[in-house]
């Protein structure tokens, strides 16, 4: 699909934490004398996590149990099924109390009535604004963020030391001086990968949906018209020049970069851990513009949702709203998961060069739209792009316009 | 009991033909009541089955699944009766099979049929009461600019209330009584810690009454426009106002600010007069619309014929090619003159031993245009678009399926060949028939008697061979510009998957309906095929 998140989680954070009073500020143990300061809650929460996130969650829930006395049953679900299973099992009462996932699940969950609302209250301002709004839908908050991720341009410093290119074309020209089989790797695959091409697309001024002033999306397609067709023609050009290749999927792109077969790759923090582990010297830079405007990647936000049918609503809220939002927990999750914390206080203390690079590249990006119709958009979008790249669609403007019509029809019939 | 009755039972029930068994005189020597070892074994097995059923019934009752409870009750009675009654003899052998048939076949089919007539899918995921509750929750919004109230949960004679500090004064309220100031309350750090007449709940009691507390709305004042106080964590309260109210008697949702009334429609949603629907909706029966959609929706009916033809071509050619190769190899290795037949036979069965979906994935990698083993090594760096060109992808699918399928045909043909009496072949040879003539007029017709039904089932299997298509090509390469994302190698069942799930919105109702249609097609073909094979037997 559009992206994979093989998270090489480094678990094993040692814990030693004084009880946190329920006041929500997470400010230490000054109130421990009063009766309510050491809450001795009881009960069990069931929490669903996929295999990419479970290792970093384990120490966190242990800590929660130590602090509150609430046991958390971590259930590992397959990442391909967790979202569907949640939607189909919550109505039967068999679902979990809490699910850890990505912000773009919000629309589907709300549309099916399977998530509870959360109230961050004053805590909302302690978070990066776009991270909180990523979990909002129709003006209501449904999830609590803990990590932010986005893609950027990663350079192999052994092959190229410096990047002066201001445009993507210059970047390709410069990359070719490294004399490697590939210049700039952008993963595709049979079904395309619109996610990894999005920075190039936005540089033509063609966002997938139009945005309101507050950053939230309208359901009006933004990539139609001239800007979109120019991008389509550009894709075809990159395909002809063999910069982009449909047969290079995520694994192949990663391997080629690891093998030193390309000076640049457009990828996210889920892969850089493997690069640095392999002893590579890398730098993370923003993707240069291809169409004249700024290249903005999609921003993905990780967070926690509460089931609409949780039998332990208070305990679930305690975990999600009061525990997961503390600076200590967000920092621990950053250390084990390698993603930028969503909490500003925790994020400001991150001194990792690679993550700082991703952060800079994503600072202007917008969250991926979470409307349920996004499913139809992804598949048409990726397929058309891959057909432009491999030359199956000869007329870029026509193919792009047909794609827009098809997406609009798909969205219209879903209502 | 007549003597005769006992006599009849003995042959079926076996052992107790002992003299002592007869001497009990009363004539009732049924296995069920003789205290033999077999009886105790049976007693133990039935006791375990009954215990499991009772446990299941209790669990089902606890979660109010009446259908499951009723089924288990019937099963319990049936098991106990059949194995201890003397009249239930034939049923003893049938019952386990019948139960599994019910659970694994009939229930699944019945449920699929039921879903096919509903609009179950994204947006219509649950019951109406769930939908109403969710619509209300989703439309209950925090009063803009209102403060956070550190809150204490209190209790008076079983009634839960909230105590908060408003403008420096402690106030208490419950569902029926808006917040009012109380004298003599203790306040510590902006939070009420004691209220006269109310008992402050500790965390243990809060955890035990979670639903009550989360669902409590305490009116902020006697003016409903001020909103009401609610909490989600029993520590902080916020002021909320509902944007929608539900009138249970009239079954309508009303927007409190605009006055728009939303009424339930036949498709399972609350809809306003101008057509705006509230989400989520709920599951309702929609009749045959899922069945007709395949033909009336122009986006689906267009590519449908094309896909249908390819499905028949794919299933037919798959059977033909695998059978031809399997038969050829079977005949070759059936000849006693071939040395090392056993080794060859074992090697040939290997592809059959791998899980098909795994092999399909491996083939997908090997056929990759740029990095695949076939192009890179076997063809010395050729650039053949095995899976990315429409026609070639079809050929690739058939080739891979041939590789996957011929060992099965090889196996059944070998078995069938060995069961053909050698003397008639011998006599034909004596009569001077050529080997081809023997094959055409003797071996093949005799072979078809036992193999033809397997060919039909193989056709039915390949007609629905979802895992091969999904794993090998994913239906691709996609058609350009079609309004539903399907491709050159999609067969009916993978097209259903693409339509019902591939778009991001799941439509279980449509998927069930179309799979029933496919079942009818496959069923009809199989029925016709089996009828035809009967004529073969008259040879």
């Amino acid at each position: 699909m559009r992206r994979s998140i093989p998270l090489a989680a480094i678990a094993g954070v040692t814990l030693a934490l004084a009880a946190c009073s329920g006041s929500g500020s997470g400010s230490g143990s000054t109130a421990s004398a009063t009766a309510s300061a050491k809450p001795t809650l009881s009960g069990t929460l069931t929490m669903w996590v996929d295999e990419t996130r479970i290792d970093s969650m384990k120490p966190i829930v242990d800590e929660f149990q130590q602090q509150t006395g609430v046991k958390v049953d971590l259930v590992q679900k397959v990442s391909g099924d967790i979202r569907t299973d949640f939607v189909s099992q919550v109505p039967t009462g068999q679902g979990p109390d809490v699910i850890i996932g990505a912000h773009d699940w919000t629309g589907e969950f709300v549309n099916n009535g399977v998530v509870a609302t959360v109230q961050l209250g004053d805590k909302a301002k302690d978070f990066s604004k776009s991270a909180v709004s990523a979990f909002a839908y129709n003006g209501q908050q449904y999830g609590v963020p803990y990590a932010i991720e986005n893609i950027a341009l990663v350079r192999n410093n052994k092959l190229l030391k410096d990047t002066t290119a201001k445009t993507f074309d210059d970047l390709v020209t410069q990359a070719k001086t490294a004399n490697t089989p590939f210049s700039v790797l952008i993963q595709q695959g049979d079904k395309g990968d619109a996610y990894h091409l999005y920075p190039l697309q936005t540089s033509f001024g063609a966002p997938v949906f139009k945005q309101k002033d507050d950053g939230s999306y309208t359901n009006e397609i933004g990539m139609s018209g001239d800007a979109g067709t120019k991008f389509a023609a550009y894709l075809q050009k990159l395909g002809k020049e063999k910069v982009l290749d449909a047969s290079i999927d995520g694994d192949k792109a990663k391997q080629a970069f690891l093998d030193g077969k390309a000076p640049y790759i457009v990828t996210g923090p889920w892969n850089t851990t493997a690069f640095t582990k392999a002893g590579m010297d890398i730098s993370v830079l923003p993707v240069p513009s291809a169409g004249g405007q700024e290249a903005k990647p999609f921003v993905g936000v990780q967070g926690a949702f509460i089931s609409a049918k949780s039998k332990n609503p208070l305990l679930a809220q305690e975990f999600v709203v009061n525990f997961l939002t503390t600076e200590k927990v967000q920092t621990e999750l950053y250390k084990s998961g390698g993603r930028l914390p969503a909490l500003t206080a925790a994020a400001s203390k991150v001194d990792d060069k690679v993550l700082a690079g991703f952060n800079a590249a994503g600072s202007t990006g917008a969250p991926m739209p979470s409307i349920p119709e996004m499913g139809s958009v992804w598949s048409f979008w990726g397929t058309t792009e891959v057909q432009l790249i491999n030359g199956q669609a000869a007329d870029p403007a026509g193919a792009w316009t047909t794609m827009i019509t098809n997406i609009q029809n798909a969205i219209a019939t879903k209502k | 009991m007549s003597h005769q009755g006992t006599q009849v039972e003995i042959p079926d029930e076996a052992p107790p033909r002992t003299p002592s068994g007869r001497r009990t005189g009363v004539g009732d020597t049924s296995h069920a009541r003789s205290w033999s070892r077999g009886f105790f074994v049976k007693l133990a097995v039935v006791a375990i089955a009954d215990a499991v059923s009772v446990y299941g019934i209790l669990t089902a009752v606890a979660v109010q699944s009446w259908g499951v409870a009723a089924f288990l009750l019937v099963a319990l009675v049936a098991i106990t009766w059949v194995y201890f009654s003397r009249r239930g003899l034939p049923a003893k052998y049938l019952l386990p099979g019948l139960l599994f048939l019910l659970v694994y076949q009939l229930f699944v089919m019945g449920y699929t049929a039921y879903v096919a007539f509903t609009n179950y899918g994204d947006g219509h995921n649950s019951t109406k009461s769930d939908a109403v509750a969710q619509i209300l929750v989703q439309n209950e919004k925090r009063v803009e600019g209102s403060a956070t109230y550190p809150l204490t949960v209190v209790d008076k004679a079983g009634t839960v209330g909230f105590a908060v500090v408003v403008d420096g004064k402690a106030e208490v309220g419950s569902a029926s009584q808006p917040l009012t100031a109380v004298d003599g309350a203790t306040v510590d750090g902006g939070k009420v810690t004691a209220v006269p007449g109310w008992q402050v709940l500790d965390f243990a009691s809060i955890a035990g009454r979670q639903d009550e507390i989360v669902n409590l709305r305490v009116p902020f004042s006697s003016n409903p426009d001020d909103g009401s106080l609610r909490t989600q964590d029993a520590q902080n309260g916020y002021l909320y106002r509902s944007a929608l109210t539900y009138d249970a008697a009239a079954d309508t949702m009303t927007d409190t600010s605009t006055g728009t009334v939303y009424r339930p429609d036949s498709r399972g949603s609350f809809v306003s007069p101008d057509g705006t629907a509230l989400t989520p909706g709920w599951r309702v029966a929609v009749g045959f619309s899922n069945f007709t959609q395949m033909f009336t929706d122009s986006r689906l009916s267009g590519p449908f014929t094309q896909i249908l033809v390819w499905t028949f071509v794919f299933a037919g050619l798959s059977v033909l090619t695998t059978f031809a190769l399997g038969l050829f190899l079977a005949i070759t290795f059936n000849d006693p003159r071939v040395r090392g037949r056993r080794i060859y036979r074992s090697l040939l069965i290997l592809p059959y031993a791998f899980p098909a979906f795994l092999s399909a994935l491996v083939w997908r990698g090997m056929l990759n245009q740029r990095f695949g083993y076939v192009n890179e090594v076997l063809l010395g760096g050729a650039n053949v678009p095995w899976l990315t060109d429409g026609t070639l992808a079809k050929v690739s699918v058939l080739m891979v399926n041939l590789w996957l399928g011929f060992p099965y045909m090889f196996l059944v043909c070998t078995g069938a060949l060995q069961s053909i009496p050698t003397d008639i072949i011998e006599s034909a040879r004596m009569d001077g028939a050529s080997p081809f003539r023997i094959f055409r007029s003797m071996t093949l017709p005799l072979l078809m008697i036992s193999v033809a039904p397997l060919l039909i089932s193989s056709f039915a299997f390949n007609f629905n061979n979802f895992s091969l298509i999904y794993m090998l090509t994913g239906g691709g390469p996609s058609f350009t510009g079609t309004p539903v994302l399907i491709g050159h190698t999609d067969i009916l069942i993978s097209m259903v998957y693409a339509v019902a799930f591939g778009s991001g919105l799941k439509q279980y109702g449509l998927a069930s309906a179309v799979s029933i249609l496919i079942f009818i097609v496959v069923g009809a073909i199989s029925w016709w095929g089996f009828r035809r094979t009967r004529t073969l037997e008259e040879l």
Side-chain angles (χ1 to χ4, degrees):
Chain A
M1 278 309 290
R2 61 191 184 276
R3 72 201 173 108
S4 59
I5 311 169
L7 185 147
I10 319 138
V13 181
T14 46
L15 318 170
L17 185 72
C20 127
S21 77
S23 69
S25 62
S27 59
S29 58
T30 45
S32 61
T34 59
S36 64
K38 241 200 181 327
T40 42
L41 291 171
S42 58
T44 306
L45 277 178
T46 310
M47 187 158 117
W48 280 6
V49 199
D50 67 23
E51 70 278 358
T52 63
R53 302 178 175 105
I54 192 161
D55 285 339
S56 50
M57 272 296 156
K58 263 182 199 146
I60 302 296
V61 300
D62 288 346
E63 193 176 331
F64 183 65
Q65 183 173 4
Q66 275 177 22
Q67 254 188 56
T68 60
V70 178
K71 191 172 172 294
V72 181
D73 249 346
L74 271 187
V75 180
Q76 178 173 336
K77 302 286 287 184
V78 183
S79 51
D81 298 335
I82 184 169
R83 179 175 174 178
T84 320
D85 285 359
F86 186 75
V87 170
S88 57
Q89 293 197 19
V90 164
T92 67
Q94 302 293 308
D97 297 299
V98 177
I99 180 172
I100 304 291
H103 80 272
D104 55 322
W105 301 359
T106 313
E108 184 184 348
F109 285 176
V110 174
N111 193 25
N112 284 311
V114 292
V115 274
T117 56
V118 294
Q119 182 53 261
L120 277 171
D122 301 335
K123 290 192 197 91
K125 65 178 188 314
D126 302 336
F127 282 90
S128 119
K129 206 179 141 206
S130 66
V132 174
S133 66
F135 282 98
Y137 196 78
N138 288 340
Q140 188 78 273
Q141 190 74 23
Y142 291 97
V144 172
Y146 71 81
I148 303 174
E149 61 192 18
N150 56 268
I151 52 172
L153 183 73
V154 179
R155 183 182 65 207
N156 184 343
N157 292 338
K158 211 175 122 197
L159 296 174
L160 283 179
K161 296 242 170 337
D162 201 24
T163 303
T164 48
K166 289 274 172 283
T167 69
F168 193 78
D169 286 329
D170 289 353
L171 188 81
V172 172
T173 316
Q174 189 219 359
K176 282 183 175 151
T177 62
N179 280 323
T180 46
F182 305 103
S183 49
V184 185
L185 287 164
I186 303 181
Q187 69 178 61
Q188 287 303 304
D190 301 343
K191 304 272 173 190
D193 192 325
Y195 176 81
H196 280 85
L197 287 175
Y198 196 61
L200 296 186
Q201 182 175 333
T202 44
S203 76
F204 282 87
V208 54
F209 286 108
K210 289 189 176 144
Q211 278 177 296
K212 290 182 206 150
D213 292 338
D214 64 354
S216 63
Y217 287 96
T218 64
N219 54 8
E220 194 186 339
I221 304 270
M223 52 186 174
S224 52
D226 254 10
T229 48
K230 266 187 202 150
F231 169 64
Y234 188 71
L235 271 188
Q236 194 186 39
K237 178 181 95 103
L238 289 184
K240 270 186 193 147
E241 291 169 358
K242 292 283 164 212
V243 177
L244 291 176
D245 187 336
S247 57
I248 299 178
D249 60 13
D251 291 336
K252 295 200 178 82
K254 180 183 174 183
Q255 196 54 47
F257 190 74
L258 269 173
D259 295 345
K261 285 184 183 163
Y264 293 109
I265 183 173
V266 174
T267 190
W270 47 91
N271 274 342
T272 48
T273 333
F275 299 156
T276 45
K277 260 192 187 165
M280 294 176 79
D281 176 21
I282 52 169
S283 299
V284 180
L285 316 155
V287 180
S289 168
Q293 301 184 29
E294 194 177 12
K296 301 170 185 171
F298 272 136
V299 174
V301 189
Q302 318 271 315
F305 298 95
I306 299 173
S307 158
K309 284 210 157 180
S310 167
K311 297 203 172 60
N312 299 294
L314 282 179
L315 303 182
Q317 293 275 349
E318 177 69 27
F319 178 81
V320 170
V321 178
N322 293 338
F323 183 72
L324 209 56
T325 53
T326 55
E327 189 186 327
K328 190 176 159 49
V329 170
Q330 297 248 335
T331 308
E332 273 172 25
L333 281 169
Y334 143 66
K335 282 184 178 150
S336 58
R339 308 286 204 286
L340 198 75
L343 194 74
T344 325
S348 64
K349 296 198 181 106
V350 170
D351 52 2
D352 184 292
K353 237 179 62 195
V354 170
L355 268 194
F358 278 114
N359 190 24
S363 57
T364 54
M368 259 187 284
S370 77
I371 57 166
E373 290 84 7
M374 226 16 227
S376 344
V377 179
W378 283 120
S379 39
F380 282 115
W381 200 9
T383 307
T384 308
E385 288 185 349
V386 89
Q387 286 171 345
L388 288 166
I389 291 166
N390 64 22
Q392 227 183 316
D395 166 29
W400 196 261
T401 319
T402 315
M403 175 194 83
I404 303 281
T405 320
N406 285 335
I407 291 176
Q408 278 165 340
N409 285 340
I411 291 176
T413 50
K414 294 288 158 49
K415 285 195 175 149
Chain B
M1 279 288 144
S2 73
H3 183 68
Q4 219 181 356
T6 331
Q7 280 292 345
V8 172
E9 252 193 77
I10 285 167
D12 291 326
E13 287 272 274
R17 215 182 225 273
T18 56
S20 64
R22 271 198 187 166
R23 236 178 285 142
T24 42
V26 204
D28 190 74
T29 45
S30 153
H31 199 140
R33 266 153 275 192
S34 74
W35 305 100
S36 64
R37 207 164 32 163
F39 173 77
F40 286 108
V41 169
K42 181 171 78 177
L43 189 69
V45 171
V46 173
I48 291 171
D50 283 358
V52 171
S53 312
V54 169
Y55 174 75
I57 291 171
L58 292 178
T59 318
V61 169
V63 297
Q64 304 187 335
S65 298
W66 305 118
V68 176
F71 172 76
L72 286 174
L73 190 68
V74 172
L76 175 81
V77 173
I79 290 171
T80 317
W81 182 79
V82 162
Y83 286 97
F84 288 102
S85 150
R86 296 172 58 242
R87 283 191 294 165
L89 183 65
K92 283 176 194 173
Y93 300 97
L94 290 177
L95 187 70
L98 277 178
L99 284 179
F100 283 112
L101 181 76
L102 270 177
V103 173
Y104 291 110
Q105 298 281 326
L106 294 181
F107 170 73
V108 176
M109 285 159 70
Y111 192 73
T112 308
Y114 157 72
V115 169
F117 288 97
T118 68
N119 62 350
Y120 180 34
D122 269 331
H124 300 273
N125 195 39
S126 192
T127 59
K128 186 171 181 184
S129 61
D130 279 354
V132 169
Q134 267 303 300
I135 290 172
L136 292 177
V137 165
Q138 292 178 2
N139 287 288
E140 189 176 29
K141 299 207 167 135
R142 190 176 169 193
V143 176
E144 260 177 62
S146 66
T148 304
Y149 298 95
L151 154 155
T152 312
V153 183
V154 291
D155 172 275
K156 191 198 293 183
T159 311
V160 186
F162 292 150
V164 289
V165 180
V166 181
D167 301 329
K169 265 195 75 73
E171 294 194 0
V172 176
S174 65
S176 51
Q177 179 206 352
L179 285 179
T180 40
V182 281
D183 293 324
T186 324
V187 175
D188 182 19
K191 204 166 175 173
V192 179
T193 53
V195 193
W198 294 79
Q199 191 198 350
V200 175
L201 290 183
D202 60 9
F203 276 91
S205 359
I206 287 174
R209 300 169 75 170
Q210 294 185 47
D211 275 339
E212 220 179 318
I213 295 164
V214 170
N215 290 325
L216 177 63
R217 307 281 183 272
V218 175
F220 194 67
S221 70
S222 47
N223 176 8
D225 287 346
D226 284 347
S228 53
L229 197 66
R230 80 180 260 221
T231 185
Q232 287 178 323
D233 58 0
Q235 292 166 11
N236 291 302
Y238 300 97
L239 271 185
Y240 283 87
R241 257 198 302 260
S242 286
L244 283 174
T245 54
Y246 179 59
D247 183 346
D251 197 18
T252 54
M253 288 273 178
T254 310
D255 190 315
T256 48
S257 53
T258 62
T260 315
V261 178
Y262 296 83
R263 291 174 203 287
D265 68 355
S266 62
R267 303 284 305 180
S269 301
F270 283 107
V271 181
S272 71
D274 69 356
T276 323
L278 297 173
T279 59
W282 58 94
R283 241 194 263 193
V284 289
V286 291
F288 280 93
S289 74
N290 286 325
F291 291 89
T292 50
Q293 192 186 342
M294 207 72 191
F295 308 103
T296 52
D297 188 337
S298 61
R299 300 183 307 137
L300 302 182
S301 56
F304 180 79
T305 337
Q306 204 176 347
I307 299 288
L308 186 73
V309 169
W310 162 240
T311 310
F312 275 103
V313 170
F314 166 71
L317 281 181
S318 290
V319 174
L320 276 182
T321 52
T322 54
F323 179 63
L325 184 61
L327 180 63
F328 171 73
L329 291 172
I331 290 174
T332 312
F333 289 112
N334 204 37
D335 196 310
R337 283 169 299 176
V338 177
R339 286 195 183 181
R341 281 185 293 163
R342 284 198 184 166
I343 299 169
Y344 287 125
R345 277 183 185 160
S346 326
L347 286 177
L348 282 174
I349 295 168
L350 270 183
Y352 191 45
F354 293 121
F357 71 94
L358 201 78
S359 311
L361 277 181
V362 171
W363 274 105
R364 182 195 192 125
M366 299 214 309
L367 292 173
N368 184 295
Q369 185 176 351
R370 202 153 158 195
F371 306 94
Y373 186 81
V374 174
N375 274 352
E376 282 289 279
V377 182
L378 295 184
L379 301 178
N383 199 23
V384 183
W386 290 112
L387 298 177
T388 40
D389 175 80
T391 319
L392 264 180
K394 285 180 173 168
V395 173
S396 303
V397 166
L398 285 170
M399 294 298 285
V400 171
N401 208 18
L402 171 64
W403 188 84
L404 285 170
F406 85 85
Y408 172 74
M409 292 299 182
F410 171 64
L411 272 182
V412 296
C413 289
T414 304
L417 279 176
Q418 285 170 352
S419 70
I420 296 175
T422 41
D423 47 352
I424 53 167
I425 306 284
E426 204 62 40
S427 59
R429 199 170 291 152
M430 302 278 257
D431 288 347
S434 70
F436 180 74
R437 178 78 191 168
I438 296 176
F439 171 76
R440 247 202 59 83
S441 305
M442 315 270 326
T443 320
L444 192 62
L446 284 170
L447 197 73
M448 284 312 272
I449 296 173
S450 50
V451 174
L454 295 170
L455 295 185
I456 295 165
S457 64
S458 171
F459 180 86
F461 170 80
N462 279 309
F463 200 86
N464 278 334
N465 199 343
F466 176 78
S467 62
L468 174 75
I469 302 291
Y470 185 72
M471 293 290 174
L472 188 62
T473 61
S478 305
F479 294 125
T480 40
T482 45
V484 216
L485 275 174
I486 44 179
H488 290 273
T489 56
D490 262 317
I491 53 174
L492 273 182
I493 192 78
S494 67
M495 174 187 175
V496 172
Y497 181 83
V499 170
F501 305 108
S503 64
L505 286 186
K506 293 175 287 296
Q507 306 172 54
Y508 296 110
L510 178 67
S512 300
V514 183
S515 54
I516 288 175
L517 289 181
I518 294 178
F519 168 75
I520 293 171
V521 172
V522 175
I525 294 169
S526 305
W527 176 78
W528 175 80
F530 281 119
R531 274 183 61 101
R532 294 271 305 165
T533 56
R534 238 178 267 159
T535 59
L536 286 174
E537 287 168 27
E538 287 155 14
L539 207 70

